[in-house]
Amino acid sequence: MYKFSIEEELVVKSLRDFVENEVKPAVPEIEKTNEIPKKLWERCVELGLIGVSFPEKYGGMGMHGMMDKVVLEEIAKECPALALAIDAHHLATRAIQQLGSKAQKETYLSKMVYGELVGASAATDPAGCGVYAETKPIGTFTEKGILLNCTKVFITNSSFADIFVVNGMIDGNYCMVLVDKNAEGLLFGGNMVDHKMGMHGSGTGTVRLNNVLVPMSNLLAPDEPFDPANAFTFCGCYLDISAIALGIAESAYKKSKDYLMARIRNGKPMAGMPVIAKNLALMKGKVEMMRNMVVNTTEIVETEPSPLLIHATKALVTEMACDVTEMAIKVYGGAGYMEETGIARYHRDAICCTIGENPTDVHLEQVALQLGLPVEGTQPMFPICGDRYDR
Amino acid sequence: MAIRIVVCVKPVPANTNVTIDPVTKTVRREAGESVISTLDKNALDLASQLKKSINCEVTVISMAPASAEINIREALARGGDKAIILSDRAFAGGDTFATGYVLSQGIKAMGGCDLVLMGSASDDGGTGQLAAQLGEWLGIRHLHNALSLTVEGENLLVTTVADKQLCTWRCAVPAVVSVNRAISKPGPVPVRNIIMASRKELKVWSADDLPGLDKDFVGLRNSPTQNGELYPLETGRAGVIVEGSADELAESILDKIASAGIQL
């Protein structure tokens, strides 16, 4: 099991201080306005939380990949939407880190790792699917550059992003193209921001590109056709959202326990009622299973690709977060169903985690493919790496 | 020449579930997580602020077990340039008199300093005596419960609060100043500072590393303060009903708080 160094323990401590004293008080306003205050993002930047695990040469903190997950988990305990915004930003940032040219890295990467520029990954088509080969065309190559015409939906950070990484097919190849927020013909924000059941504030919305012309130098991996099956750009975000789900579940459990320890029935805490105690024990057990899975997979993928574990972690951890948060509402009783107690929010946010970054069923299908099962009608997102536990 | 600032830091038990050793009647420190005593963070924050305006070097010093490294690394992340942990079984259980003596010997062994900062009281002991004890052991001026501190040339300008009275002092260095929580607002530490702190110098000195130390002044056995009986405090509500206009009620409540010895 991963053991924190003194340095990492201090980061966790500082993070908890930030979440308790600065993030938590901002949540009611975020829920009301559906906007994350700019100041809160700037505080994340000041504290160095955005690029904790990115290399120092790009302005990151160079810490172990585990610390990215810890940052998201801790922030998600109080404000999953802020954690989700960081996750979406990471997705765009990692694309440039892994596939960007020297010039693209010089222009964007340090500012994004630091958090000065906010990124968004625009990948989902209106008729979305989890298979890259079926992604719709986003534009064409012309003599003047890349002419983009497409609509992308459910784009997290769309309302406040500075740079969009637009994903899709161009001339039969899967491409990623950088589009600045000020590009002519790019439409986002305003009434294109979605009204969601949860994750309020993460700025999810539609992005339209109407004849947006960008130079060829905005194409990621320009020297060779980009094969998503050979890039693990998306791996990080699957574990990121798993860490967010873990934080949500952990907080829902903790709040339920505190609430039921303080609720007195016949002179005794309700947490001691056998039926409640059993459910709290079950919630905690699931949280710890989730933690083991997130930690174990994060540790393994630092050194070896393991698509099976990544897909399984994303699918199971996020579903478990739904179970735990639903149980939290139930053990709260009537109060759990009231908005004022703030516990129902966790369930709504947890459901988002089972759908965002590809739904559970897509991930389970990918697990099946990694296991070598003859699944029809789909193809692996990543190369088949097999089952390291099949002994 | 850089002003040499020393910040005294006390690691204390992390939560309110403090247990007392029934034999020694001192706080059990060996078990559980420890944190930097709250007001010592204010002192560190002040030192960090001073670094922005004057040329100074900040040394963190702490009489603590070597296991307190995490707290001292945090102190370094909060503005310290280097740190010394004074750690020896002989120091264990010392009261403020003995602790002040050990700290004074540590400061002398490092070559002295111009300004010593610390919180005005610790979270656990809460005696508020250490600044005075240390000042006396070092034979230098000491001021308590500072609300503000600036450096003006060779002097410190310090505003302190005591019994609702504010006093502003012009004080020559060297001096010991304990700080009030209002002097600064310590927040979360940036990750960059934490990483830098892990690369800073941290020394652990035992009694043998303090050349002038007289062992007859250290530890529980040589502490003039010996705890008497310990028993759980029975608390109840007085149930006093106060009547009058809103202003009268506010005045009356404030008087009651003040007469209970609580400073607001």
Side-chain angles (χ1 to χ4, degrees), chain A residues 28 33 39 56 68 135 160 168 174 176 179 186 237 245-246 293 302 321 333 345 356 360 364 380 385 389 391:
Chain A
T33 59
K39 197 168 166 253
E56 284 183 276
D68 259 351
T135 307
F160 49 81
Y174 193 91
M176 290 182 167
V179 179
L186 178 70
C237 70
L246 170 62
M293 203 161 184
E302 279 286 301
R345 175 170 69 89
T360 303
L364 291 176
C385 294
Y389 295 111
R391 300 178 182 117

Side-chain angles (χ1 to χ4, degrees), chain B residues 131 141-146 156 158 160 169 171 175-179:
Chain B
R141 299 160 191 85
H142 43 91
L143 292 169
H144 308 277
N145 219 8
L156 305 172
V158 183
T160 60
W169 310 79
C171 167
V176 178
V177 180
S178 74
V179 304

Side-chain angles (χ1 to χ4, degrees), chain B residues 5-178:
Chain B
I5 298 176
V6 166
V7 182
C8 299
V9 166
K10 183 179 187 185
V12 295
N15 55 38
T16 50
N17 189 22
V18 173
T19 56
I20 308 285
D21 187 313
V23 178
T24 64
K25 293 168 186 152
T26 55
V27 176
R28 279 199 176 106
R29 298 185 188 280
E30 66 276 15
E33 192 193 345
S34 61
V35 295
I36 298 175
S37 184
T38 308
L39 299 183
D40 291 345
K41 285 189 199 167
N42 292 76
L44 286 162
D45 206 44
L46 171 64
S48 175
Q49 295 299 322
L50 289 172
K51 276 169 80 173
K52 291 176 188 166
S53 56
I54 58 170
N55 179 20
C56 59
E57 185 187 56
V58 178
T59 304
V60 173
I61 195 163
S62 181
M63 191 185 92
S67 59
E69 182 184 344
I70 186 166
N71 307 118
I72 306 310
R73 288 284 172 207
E74 181 184 340
L76 288 169
R78 290 186 177 278
D81 296 307
K82 56 184 181 175
I84 299 163
I85 301 178
L86 303 171
S87 184
D88 198 299
R89 290 197 69 81
F91 301 158
D95 66 358
T96 53
F97 179 84
T99 304
Y101 176 70
V102 172
L103 289 172
S104 71
Q105 290 301 313
I107 291 169
K108 284 177 184 170
M110 60 172 263
C113 68
D114 302 301
L115 172 62
V116 182
L117 297 172
M118 69 179 74
S120 59
S122 63
D123 291 350
D124 53 356
T127 64
Q129 297 166 350
L130 187 65
Q133 302 274 19
L134 179 55
E136 291 300 317
W137 278 116
L138 288 169
I140 61 177
R141 299 160 191 85
H142 43 91
L143 292 169
H144 308 277
N145 219 8
L147 291 174
S148 70
L149 181 152
T150 51
V151 178
E152 290 193 345
E154 300 288 304
N155 295 311
L156 305 172
L157 203 61
V158 183
T159 299
T160 60
V161 58
D163 296 331
K164 294 185 185 174
Q165 304 296 316
L166 295 182
C167 302
T168 298
W169 310 79
R170 190 177 299 279
C171 167
V173 293
V176 178
V177 180
S178 74

Side-chain angles (χ1 to χ4, degrees), chain A residues 5-15 17-18 22 43 46-49 52 56 59-63, chain B residues 33-36 41 69-71 73-75 77-78 186-192 194-199:
Chain A
S5 64
I6 284 182
E7 205 174 69
E8 289 167 339
E9 275 188 38
L10 286 175
V11 171
V12 174
K13 217 168 164 184
S14 178
L15 192 50
D17 182 351
F18 169 63
E22 300 183 46
R43 281 293 285 152
E46 277 171 20
L47 294 172
L49 300 176
V52 159
E56 284 183 276
M61 299 297 149
M63 299 187 91
Chain B
E33 192 193 345
S34 61
V35 295
I36 298 175
K41 285 189 199 167
E69 182 184 344
I70 186 166
N71 307 118
R73 288 284 172 207
E74 181 184 340
R78 290 186 177 278
V189 191
V191 178
R192 172 74 65 204
I194 293 170
I195 292 170
M196 296 305 291
S198 67
R199 297 164 193 170

